[in-house]
Amino acid sequence: MNLNASNKNTSTQTKKHVILDKVSIIVPIYKVEKELDRCVRSLLGQTYKNIEIILINDGSPDSCPQLCEKYAWEDSRIKVVHKENGGLSSARNRGLEVAEGQYISFVDGDDWVESDFIETLINNLKREKADISIIGYTMIWDNGKSRRFSSDDQYYVLNKDEAIRELLMQRKFQCMVCQKLYCSFIFDSIRFPEGQLYEDVAVGLPTFLRSNKVVVSGESKYFYYQRKEGIVNSGFNDKKLFFLECCRDIIDYSDRNNHLYDQEAHAFYLRTLMVFQLYLYKAEKTEHNKKILKGLQKELYLQKYYIWGNKGLELRKKVVLTLMILHFPYWLLLKMWEKRAGA
């Protein structure tokens, strides 16, 4: 993660003319033919009409390319870009290249939104003269279970430092870009890291560093769909270790700036170390995975002094992290955690 947020391909980041008050909604599309119609129809039904919907077909091998063309024929606000498969970051970056709006929003191709999703985000942003507007979301699993991550009575206006602390604490909102509306200038010099997972984490701090004010509403307007074969639920693989690299970059940034976000940055890192160890408890017990787990255990041990004195960690996580350091039986820890998670 580059906190200077520069990109090697500078030709895509030169300042361009933007259309005032227009919202560019970037939708990466890959193997979502069953869910795509629900997504696109929810965007076409937005009460805020000054939008462009940018459908990025990321080399999808199913019927998604034909569906995209069909939608573009139905509504002139839809732009379609076909490209070779390059992953989620590549698709989003391509969308940023062609976006013309003063504001940027991201919606994944298998998710959907309420009809006033954009209207609520932009009204809050303009009311508070903010650079980033955030809304609540509900996670929907393909087994029918759901979980809401906010409540309607939540409403916060945060300055830059407050917003960054909350970004790392993940109490009022998450790192995911899909629950946010950005002023387009924020992405003038920021691109998603291609070929990596957890790209939202990589751009989290850089985008917030470019903002002066962030507004957060707890109203749930975004529905985040989780399939068993999706990236988030795909089990453990080495690419997920990029998340830890992002965490260490955030700690390094804090260290270089008088430990400005010391507790929050270490809490973010410790939570990630905990979750990744839980991932590996469930993963296949190969020699490679055992080696990674051993490395995570060693790193957690080195971080032990940041656990109990850290106000950014909930008591339950402090207990679990301590039990991990003490080599508490993995199967029991996992059982306890899954029972608490509930989904």
Side-chain angles (χ1 to χ4, degrees), residues 78-90:
I78 292 181
K79 292 180 180 178
V80 178
V81 177
H82 298 286
K83 61 182 289 296
E84 292 184 1
N85 179 249
L88 182 58
S89 288
S90 173

Side-chain angles (χ1 to χ4, degrees), residues 197-198 226-237 240 279:
L197 299 181
Y198 299 116
Q226 287 290 282
R227 295 176 292 164
K228 288 182 180 178
E229 66 270 25
I231 292 174
V232 176
N233 291 328
S234 59
F236 188 84
N237 63 63
K240 290 191 173 183
Y279 265 136

Side-chain angles (χ1 to χ4, degrees), residues 54-94:
I54 305 172
L55 304 180
I56 309 294
N57 166 38
D58 190 36
S60 188
D62 53 14
S63 63
C64 285
Q66 292 77 25
L67 288 171
C68 290
E69 292 296 337
K70 173 178 173 287
Y71 298 132
W73 184 82
E74 292 178 3
D75 197 303
S76 61
R77 295 175 298 173
I78 292 181
K79 292 180 180 178
V80 178
V81 177
H82 298 286
K83 61 182 289 296
E84 292 184 1
N85 179 249
L88 182 58
S89 288
S90 173
R92 286 176 174 169
N93 289 341
R94 186 71 181 95

